[in-house]
Amino acid sequence: MHDPCTNAHHTLSPEHLKRLGRIDVLLVPIYSGYTLETFDMMEVLRAINAPLMIPMHFFGPSTLNRFLSSAREHFPVEFSDTAAITLSRATLPKSPKILTLPGH
């Protein structure tokens, strides 16, 4: 059965958020051809409020820059020098932020 919480095609209801529970790291698909438009994506990110959000599935700098431009209105944005990171619950940011990893 398809779980409506697991796709990125709609905003989340309070019931969805309850079912999701705590999310420490959120991988954010930002290619808008198959996901939410940027405005709705920001609503979802604010509702989930994960300490670390990492954009993925951006197919070029224009898509990423459009997402980051909107994200900066709500969250700090940082860029990693490396494509790999090591995470633990103890090292997660104290408040939500966007971390962009370099692509290839």
Side-chain angles (χ1 to χ4, degrees):
M1 178 193 312
H2 176 71
D3 181 351
C5 286
T6 61
N7 70 40
H9 299 279
H10 58 82
T11 56
L12 301 175
S13 70
E15 178 61 28
H16 291 141
L17 292 167
K18 181 180 175 185
R19 286 176 47 203
L20 286 170
R22 176 183 168 156
I23 296 176
D24 293 321
V25 178
L26 183 64
L27 300 176
V28 184
I30 61 171
Y31 180 65
S32 63
Y34 297 103
T35 61
L36 292 170
E37 294 300 324
T38 304
F39 176 83
D40 292 328
M41 183 62 75
M42 291 304 122
E43 181 180 322
V44 169
L45 298 182
R46 288 191 315 269
I48 292 175
N49 210 36
L52 187 61
M53 296 169 274
I54 301 173
M56 65 174 195
H57 294 182
F58 51 90
F59 302 111
S62 64
T63 304
L64 177 62
N65 290 335
R66 184 173 50 250
F67 170 79
L68 293 178
S69 176
S70 183
R72 282 185 178 100
E73 296 176 19
H74 308 282
F75 308 102
V77 174
E78 294 182 12
F79 293 87
S80 175
D81 293 331
T82 61
I85 58 173
T86 302
L87 298 170
S88 75
R89 196 169 269 175
T91 63
L92 288 172
K94 299 298 181 209
S95 59
K97 76 173 181 180
I98 306 282
L99 178 64
T100 302
L101 304 175
H104 296 286

